[in-house]
């Protein structure tokens, strides 16, 4: 079993839709949870960061962590064509390196 | 402008021909790392460096070398490239190891390497 699993997609939605992106993980020691966004032919950029369980909201983006289920989610409200990218979940313990999921490719169709 | 710069961005080479991918950051970051990105496998760490003259293996170090003689530079060396090293490579940096806890890695734009 991979340490971090993520549905690779591709996911295609109409503009304005609510998008849900998810990752599951196996290491219960993970405490820091991140979402990176990677546009085509670019490096990943940190989108959101959450420590431990709970929700975090930033504009149209909401990150959720459920440590009991080992499950994290990223919600995008009112999705825009500019949200079209690959979304990588990532996580780490307090003393170890960042582990990335394989990424989900998202296309938002105007 | 704060950035991580990689060169070359694209390279086609042949098996066994040594090559170096350079990485430079202008943010005075202590931590630097190399990743390779392959379809379905995500980003896998090759080598990392906590500071000058301090380097360590990541998850997939075989066939690669690195050095950290200066804080800003962290070149990736493929002594004898093979086709299974065909991949998209990213250099990344972070202010310090402690800042890694926020997950804030700054990535370069990537170097696409093809080994024939």
């Amino acid at each position: 079993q991979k340490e971090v699993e993520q549905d690779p997609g591709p996911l295609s939605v109409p503009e304005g839709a609510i998008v849900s992106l998810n990752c599951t993980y196996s290491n219960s020691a993970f405490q820091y949870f991140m979402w990176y966004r990677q546009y085509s032919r670019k490096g990943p950029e940190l989108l959101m960061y959450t420590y431990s369980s709970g929700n975090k909201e930033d504009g149209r983006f909401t990150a959720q962590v459920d440590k009991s289920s080992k499950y994290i989610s990223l919600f995008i409200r009112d999705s825009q064509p500019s949200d079209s990218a690959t979304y990588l979940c990532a996580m780490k313990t307090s003393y170890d390196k960042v582990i990335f999921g394989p990424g989900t490719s998202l296309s938002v169709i105007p | 402008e704060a950035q991580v710069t990689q060169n070359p961005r694209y390279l086609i080479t042949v098996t066994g021909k040594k090559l170096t991918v350079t990485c430079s950051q202008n943010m005075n970051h202590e931590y630097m790392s190399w990743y390779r990105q392959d379809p379905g496998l995500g980003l896998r760490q090759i080598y990392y460096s906590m500071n000058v003259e301090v380097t360590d293996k990541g998850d997939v170090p075989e066939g690669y070398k690195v050095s950290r003689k200066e804080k800003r530079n962290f070149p990736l060396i493929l002594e004898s490239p093979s086709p299974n090293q065909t991949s998209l490579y990213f250099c990344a940096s972070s202010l310090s190891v402690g800042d890694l806890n926020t997950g804030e890695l700054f990535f370069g734009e990537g170097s696409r390497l093809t080994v024939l």
Side-chain angles (χ1 to χ4, degrees):
Chain A
Q1 181 187 9
K2 290 183 182 175
E3 213 165 0
V4 179
E5 307 221 34
Q6 187 176 5
D7 186 338
L11 184 61
S12 185
V13 301
E15 183 175 352
I18 297 174
V19 177
S20 172
L21 304 168
N22 311 294
C23 285
T24 59
Y25 62 94
S26 57
N27 187 350
S28 57
F30 285 141
Q31 291 186 297
Y32 300 86
F33 303 92
M34 293 75 73
W35 286 95
Y36 278 78
R37 179 173 60 193
Q38 184 177 15
Y39 290 115
S40 179
R41 287 186 284 277
K42 296 287 187 183
E45 296 176 300
L46 181 66
L47 183 62
M48 295 195 71
Y49 148 77
T50 308
Y51 171 70
S52 195
S53 283
N55 293 1
K56 187 172 186 178
E57 190 172 319
D58 184 2
R60 297 183 295 109
F61 298 89
T62 300
Q64 285 186 352
V65 175
D66 182 349
K67 291 188 74 179
S68 62
S69 301
K70 298 193 183 73
Y71 189 89
I72 71 170
S73 301
L74 178 70
F75 297 96
I76 307 174
R77 290 183 299 281
D78 186 24
S79 55
Q80 302 295 308
S82 59
D83 296 327
S84 297
T86 296
Y87 290 81
L88 304 162
C89 63
M91 47 200 77
K92 70 183 299 293
T93 66
S94 58
Y95 51 84
D96 211 343
K97 60 182 180 290
V98 179
I99 305 294
F100 289 88
T104 298
S105 175
L106 171 67
S107 293
V108 181
I109 312 300
Chain B
E1 180 189 353
Q3 58 187 2
V4 178
T5 303
Q6 297 179 224
N7 279 297
R9 293 288 314 279
Y10 301 92
L11 179 63
I12 299 174
T13 190
V14 295
T15 299
K17 187 175 182 181
K18 180 179 178 180
L19 67 92
T20 299
V21 186
T22 63
C23 174
S24 181
Q25 50 90 7
N26 63 0
M27 296 170 278
N28 201 37
H29 283 176
E30 290 183 351
Y31 180 90
M32 297 186 74
S33 181
W34 276 102
Y35 294 87
R36 60 179 288 174
Q37 187 175 37
D38 301 288
L41 297 177
L43 286 160
R44 294 180 293 167
Q45 191 177 50
I46 303 170
Y47 269 94
Y48 64 95
S49 170
M50 298 287 200
N51 214 324
V52 176
E53 302 291 1
V54 181
T55 63
D56 210 344
K57 295 177 181 178
D59 298 313
V60 288
E62 295 78 21
Y64 305 94
K65 284 175 58 177
V66 293
S67 67
R68 187 93 181 271
K69 294 185 171 60
E70 306 164 282
K71 199 171 189 179
R72 62 183 293 127
N73 295 323
F74 190 45
L76 179 69
I77 302 157
L78 285 73
E79 292 271 3
S80 183
S82 62
N84 65 12
Q85 292 179 297
T86 293
S87 188
L88 179 58
Y89 291 87
F90 286 100
C91 180
S93 71
S94 183
L95 181 60
S96 68
V97 175
D99 280 286
L100 283 176
N101 286 340
T102 66
E104 182 122 51
L105 285 161
F106 294 85
F107 285 84
E109 297 211 318
S111 296
R112 184 166 292 282
L113 170 65
T114 301
V115 183
L116 302 175

